[in-house]
Amino acid sequence: MYKVSDTWLRKILVVLYEKRQTTRAEIVAATRLNVASVSQALRHLMDSGVVLKQGELQSPAGRRRDDLKLSSETGYFIAVDLEGTSVRFGLANFLGDIRCRWEEPFASGRGLDMDTLSRGIAAVQNPLNARERGRVLAIGVSYSGTMDREGRVTAVNFGWEDYPLARNLSSVTNLPVFLATECLTKLLAERWLGTARAARDVVYVTVANGVGIACMADGRVISGRDGFAGEFGHINIDPQIRDRCNCGNTGCLEAVVSSPAIVRRYLQISGGGGQPLRWDQVAEVFSLARAGDKAALEAVDRAARHLGVGLANIANIMNPELIVLGGDVLHAPDLFLPRIEEAIETRTLPRLRRGLEVKASALGFDNGLVGAASWAFHKAVHDPVLLHRIAGTQEPRKRQARRTRIAKT
């Protein structure tokens, strides 16, 4: 058995995960490890079957270079995306590809119990045989709400107040559990595997039951003192707006832009004729807008314009190179993007809007699952117990496994 450092293994695994396919020279450059360390660690990972050689590439100097990638079947991660309108589950392979999906309908405010979560987790593991089940490494959870320093989650949508989600979920699955906020997981998914792979200054905005953002500056996530940064929906976008937000204030962006707000506005303008729409049917309002329905067009236009103003403010403050849109607006980028771009063009300083791009998520509605799985991967390789399990190295005897890992975000 080769003597390799945990740090070498961790850095190489992360580079291979994020690059998907690369060479030894590129790994040396990305990890800043010396050639001997990279060669020794790669030799171990290849002998363990964790890293595969895809073939050889011809370098400009005429030398042959190995083309390397991770084995997708090294291990699996269970992803849980707590959206609010539904609870989505996925089984991801070691590369973060979602192999199996399961969705449980959920009525906001009803209360989400452990039976529902256990049922979904069991459902996505059904395609696995006994040997594969033994390679399930951890659970990643993307949640909306807040988490205190003890790892207790408060989320109004799920009826949770100071709820020990990670501890309870780990106790029924016997797997490590890693939690992160919805906006953070989706931002990192875009950064690692999606639209923002080449960007270092990124804003991810999600519009659904609520409105939130996650920001990255110079490759570092901005989380705030207590990890609560990103309550974009509660900026006061217009003091004259009388729409009341769930927080109790008026004038909040969320009271105008969120999916419930769009549906509510449509029903107010249209008079609510016919079968009333539920707020989680905002995609139907978007379809009506495309068909030329005046009430739907007005409701969507109002939301898109105010979202554009909010993002123009963020652009002035953060100076990002990329803004990525996610959530329910993925149903209608054609309706939102032109209005957002117009607001940024007219309300952002010329120097700050130069080169700024606004794009819809490349991962689509899977970004929550991909984000949760990717978060679990990155936390797992930083966990000594899981790292040794992944890499097939012997764990030092003094290290004790903690069955629940909580990532404070």
Side-chain angles (χ1 to χ4, degrees):
M1 184 67 67
Y2 310 105
K3 185 177 180 181
V4 292
S5 159
D6 284 7
T7 301
W8 303 351
L9 294 171
R10 183 177 299 119
K11 287 185 174 182
I12 290 170
L13 287 169
V14 168
V15 168
L16 284 165
Y17 185 87
E18 295 178 9
K19 286 185 174 293
R20 308 293 277 183
Q21 204 159 303
T22 188
T23 65
R24 292 172 186 264
E26 290 169 339
I27 292 172
V28 170
T31 60
R32 299 184 180 179
L33 296 172
N34 61 51
V35 174
S37 299
V38 169
S39 294
Q40 191 169 342
L42 278 174
R43 184 181 176 189
H44 168 79
L45 291 170
M46 292 173 74
D47 285 351
S48 300
V50 178
V51 173
L52 305 176
K53 185 167 75 169
Q54 291 296 99
E56 293 183 335
L57 299 174
Q58 186 78 32
S59 73
R63 295 180 180 177
R64 295 284 182 182
R65 302 180 301 169
D66 292 337
D67 191 20
L68 306 171
K69 66 176 293 186
L70 292 175
S71 168
S72 62
E73 307 309 311
T74 295
Y76 304 96
F77 297 96
I78 295 169
V80 182
D81 182 13
L82 303 178
E83 293 184 1
T85 60
S86 63
V87 182
R88 303 187 71 223
F89 303 87
L91 177 74
N93 64 19
F94 201 62
L95 297 176
D97 303 318
I98 305 300
R99 283 188 45 177
C100 179
R101 297 166 183 80
W102 181 266
E103 186 167 334
E104 289 272 350
F106 179 76
S108 180
R110 186 188 65 190
L112 181 61
D113 56 32
M114 203 52 54
D115 287 343
T116 301
L117 294 175
S118 299
R119 186 167 59 247
I121 289 169
V124 295
Q125 293 184 85
N126 282 339
L128 300 179
N129 59 38
R131 185 179 178 184
E132 290 171 329
R133 284 176 184 248
R135 294 205 297 267
V136 175
L137 297 166
I139 299 173
V141 180
S142 172
Y143 70 93
S144 58
T146 59
M147 183 167 63
D148 65 17
R149 296 183 186 277
E150 285 70 47
R152 297 173 301 188
V153 174
T154 296
V156 175
N157 291 344
F158 303 116
W160 292 339
E161 184 173 358
D162 296 332
Y163 185 68
L165 175 60
R167 187 183 70 195
N168 289 355
L169 196 53
S170 182
S171 68
V172 299
T173 61
N174 199 31
L175 288 168
V177 177
F178 301 101
L179 306 179
T181 60
E182 174 190 14
C183 283
L184 176 60
T185 59
K186 292 178 179 180
L187 167 67
L188 293 177
E190 297 294 335
R191 177 69 173 83
W192 292 327
L193 303 174
T195 301
R197 293 178 72 179
R200 294 184 59 80
D201 294 274
V202 186
V203 172
Y204 179 89
V205 56
T206 183
V207 177
N209 185 38
V211 180
I213 61 169
C215 302
M216 180 177 285
D218 195 26
R220 296 175 179 268
V221 173
I222 299 173
S223 57
R225 182 192 63 188
D226 297 314
F228 298 158
E231 290 295 339
F232 181 48
H234 298 292
I235 65 170
N236 194 298
I237 196 68
D238 185 348
Q240 303 303 315
I241 292 176
R242 307 316 304 164
D243 303 60
R244 187 165 296 278
C245 182
N246 287 331
C247 72
N249 292 325
T250 57
C252 290
L253 182 66
E254 189 169 295
V256 180
V257 171
S258 67
S259 297
I262 294 172
V263 174
R264 183 169 57 246
R265 183 67 173 176
Y266 166 74
L267 293 174
Q268 288 172 350
I269 300 169
S270 67
Q275 182 68 29
L277 293 173
R278 300 190 313 273
W279 70 265
D280 57 340
Q281 292 176 299
V282 68
E284 294 186 27
V285 178
F286 297 151
S287 295
L288 289 168
R290 289 193 190 93
D293 183 286
K294 291 184 178 180
L297 280 168
E298 184 176 333
V300 172
D301 183 69
R302 179 178 186 250
R305 283 187 292 104
H306 282 90
L307 180 59
V309 171
L311 291 175
N313 290 335
I314 293 296
N316 283 324
I317 295 168
M318 296 297 302
N319 186 27
E321 60 190 290
L322 175 65
I323 296 174
V324 183
L325 302 180
D328 287 341
V329 295
L330 293 177
H331 288 293
D334 56 319
L335 298 175
F336 277 82
L337 280 173
R339 292 163 174 83
I340 290 171
E341 290 168 350
E342 180 182 354
I344 288 175
E345 181 68 24
T346 57
R347 295 175 178 270
T348 304
L349 293 174
R351 186 174 297 176
L352 297 179
R353 69 173 182 260
R354 189 177 302 129
L356 172 60
E357 293 185 284
V358 183
K359 296 182 178 180
S361 167
L363 300 172
F365 291 103
D366 267 348
N367 58 356
L369 292 177
V370 173
S374 298
W375 180 256
F377 170 90
H378 283 76
K379 300 306 290 184
V381 298
H382 283 81
D383 180 294
V385 175
L386 292 175
L387 176 63
H388 286 279
R389 183 178 167 192
I390 291 166
T393 53
Q394 186 173 359
E395 178 191 355
R397 292 181 181 179
K398 292 183 180 179
R399 287 177 178 156
Q400 299 295 322
R402 289 181 59 202
R403 300 312 303 165
T404 302
R405 304 294 179 186
I406 300 173
K408 182 71 178 72
T409 63

